[in-house]
Amino acid sequence: MPKVTIIGAGQTGATTAHWLAERELADLVLVDVVEGMPQGKALDLAQALPVIGSDVSVTGTNDYADTAGSDIVVVTAGLPRKPGMSRDDLLAANTKIVRDAVEACLENSPNAIFVILTNPLDAMSYLAMKVGGLPRERVVGQAGILDSARMRSFVAAELNVSVQNVHCYVLGGHGDDMVPLTRHSNVAGIPLVDMLSAERLAAIVDRTRKGGGEIVGLLKTGSAYYAPAVALTQMVEAILRDRHLVIPASAYLEGEYGLKGIFFGVPVRLGRTGLEKIIEYDLDSAEKEALAISAGHVRETIEAMKI
Ligand code: TXD
């Protein structure tokens, strides 16, 4: 059985463990700084598995030694947003947490592939790659599946069609200037722009961009976790099962889309070695301009870390 470690056993970490355990993909280790909490959640989850018939082991721990030999490390440790905060407001606090976690994981699992969730997402993915001295193939950040799924859910509700028929692609940084690609999005093959009025489409794009903040505002404490966790699960599954799955995710760019030296949301192909390929879409000038604005913002956040 492959081994997956999840750093941070809070809302997203524990929910990811739940989805992963249900799919019987790997033995799981949940790590947190809070004593007893990861152990308690792991025990509870392990006791759910006889009911659903899943034979994976689930371990909760405060000790990185238990993570040894992990194939994949998922990093969810860190503070979430409070109402009114931007993701960038989390930079200072989460930089130290993610740095420490990546170093400790690599000491125990030198060959692990890292899937990052902690915000600000693109900066934390960059940090993980630099701190770990890792090749770009081994670090991907989760944002695009979630942002695209938000858009898909809004479109499906608006048009009264199955979510399975709706394909949306949201690229760019994981901030409010993310770039929903309406021209590439479609419903059962019909371009979205032919299905919705410009006004309705603009409203959906706007709600997608602010989708994380909408949930933070409603919850009052904490941020979204079901959809982020299932997005992480899809990435972990794509890697472990060597699916060669194309999804939007944050990857380190070396000239693709005319950008270099930043993590940024682009279509990637994931397989057993991690990032296999970055897919380049043909973009028009408005799309390129929107991506450039978002990239400028991500670059500023990365530079603010001073690493
Ligand atoms: O799409 C995305 N990228 C995101 C990102 C979607 C959802 C959440 N996103 C970000 O993930 C969010 O803004 C936060 O930065 C992280 C974690 O969010 P979550 O909702 O899981 O936060 P919780 O419930 O507060 O859990 C965080 C846990 C908590 O149990 C802390 O005790 C733990 O992290 N923590 C640590 N664990 C291990 N090691 C250290 N140092 C540590 N510090 C805190």
Side-chain angles (χ1 to χ4, degrees):
M1 195 54 95
K3 181 168 175 176
V4 174
T5 283
I6 301 170
I7 311 298
Q11 300 282 51
T12 55
T15 311
T16 304
H18 178 181
W19 293 109
L20 284 172
E22 197 162 23
R23 294 190 188 182
E24 210 174 19
L25 281 169
D27 288 333
L28 303 173
V29 181
L30 273 169
V31 182
D32 205 285
V33 279
V34 179
E35 284 182 24
M37 184 270 271
Q39 291 86 344
K41 288 192 180 180
L43 207 50
D44 187 12
L45 182 53
Q47 291 165 2
L49 301 187
V51 182
I52 59 169
S54 171
D55 281 308
V56 295
S57 75
V58 189
T59 307
T61 184
N62 310 110
D63 183 356
Y64 276 88
D66 293 324
T67 69
S70 295
D71 297 282
I72 298 180
V73 171
V74 178
V75 180
T76 76
L79 305 185
R81 286 195 277 172
K82 294 199 174 84
M85 279 175 106
S86 84
R87 294 173 178 91
D88 287 351
D89 294 334
L90 304 168
L91 187 71
N94 288 350
T95 296
K96 180 169 169 24
I97 294 172
V98 170
R99 178 191 289 271
D100 292 351
V102 169
E103 285 172 351
C105 285
L106 279 172
E107 275 170 30
N108 291 283
S109 306
N111 300 317
I113 293 171
F114 284 77
V115 182
I116 310 295
L117 187 81
T118 305
N119 272 325
L121 185 269
D122 304 286
M124 293 301 105
S125 304
Y126 178 93
L127 176 72
M129 189 181 92
K130 293 292 172 186
V131 165
L134 296 167
R136 73 167 179 170
E137 288 70 24
R138 283 174 55 197
V139 185
V140 275
Q142 190 304 116
I145 298 176
L146 170 66
D147 298 328
S148 304
R150 285 184 172 144
M151 186 169 169
R152 291 172 69 192
S153 75
F154 299 147
V155 170
E158 177 95 10
L159 294 175
N160 194 25
V161 290
S162 165
V163 289
Q164 293 186 44
N165 289 135
V166 184
H167 307 282
C168 295
Y169 302 92
V170 179
L171 305 189
H174 186 51
D176 291 352
D177 52 13
M178 64 182 74
V179 184
L181 289 184
T182 49
R183 218 165 46 91
H184 297 75
S185 302
N186 67 80
V187 178
I190 302 172
L192 212 49
V193 286
D194 296 340
M195 303 278 292
L196 286 164
S197 68
E199 194 189 26
R200 287 311 304 151
L201 193 51
I204 286 175
V205 163
D206 186 56
R207 193 173 177 199
T208 300
R209 287 180 148 163
K210 297 176 185 154
E214 181 179 1
I215 292 174
V216 170
L218 290 166
L219 291 177
K220 311 280 190 308
T221 55
S223 52
Y225 51 99
Y226 292 115
V230 83
L232 283 172
T233 302
Q234 188 177 39
M235 292 174 77
V236 169
E237 183 180 49
I239 296 168
L240 290 179
R241 296 229 163 131
D242 199 20
R243 278 201 193 275
H244 313 296
L245 182 74
V246 177
I247 43 115
S250 186
Y252 186 70
L253 300 186
E254 292 171 340
E256 297 86 356
Y257 291 92
L259 298 166
K260 251 190 198 154
I262 57 170
F263 268 77
F264 201 55
V266 291
V268 305
R269 200 176 78 200
L270 289 187
R272 190 62 192 87
T273 53
L275 174 81
E276 293 182 334
K277 193 176 167 33
I278 291 175
I279 316 287
E280 290 205 64
Y281 286 169
D282 202 10
L283 300 178
D284 65 21
S285 57
E287 290 158 351
K288 282 183 189 155
E289 199 178 314
L291 282 180
I293 292 168
S294 178
H297 184 186
V298 169
R299 203 177 285 284
E300 276 170 25
T301 313
I302 287 174
E303 281 168 4
M305 285 191 298
K306 297 193 171 60
I307 50 163

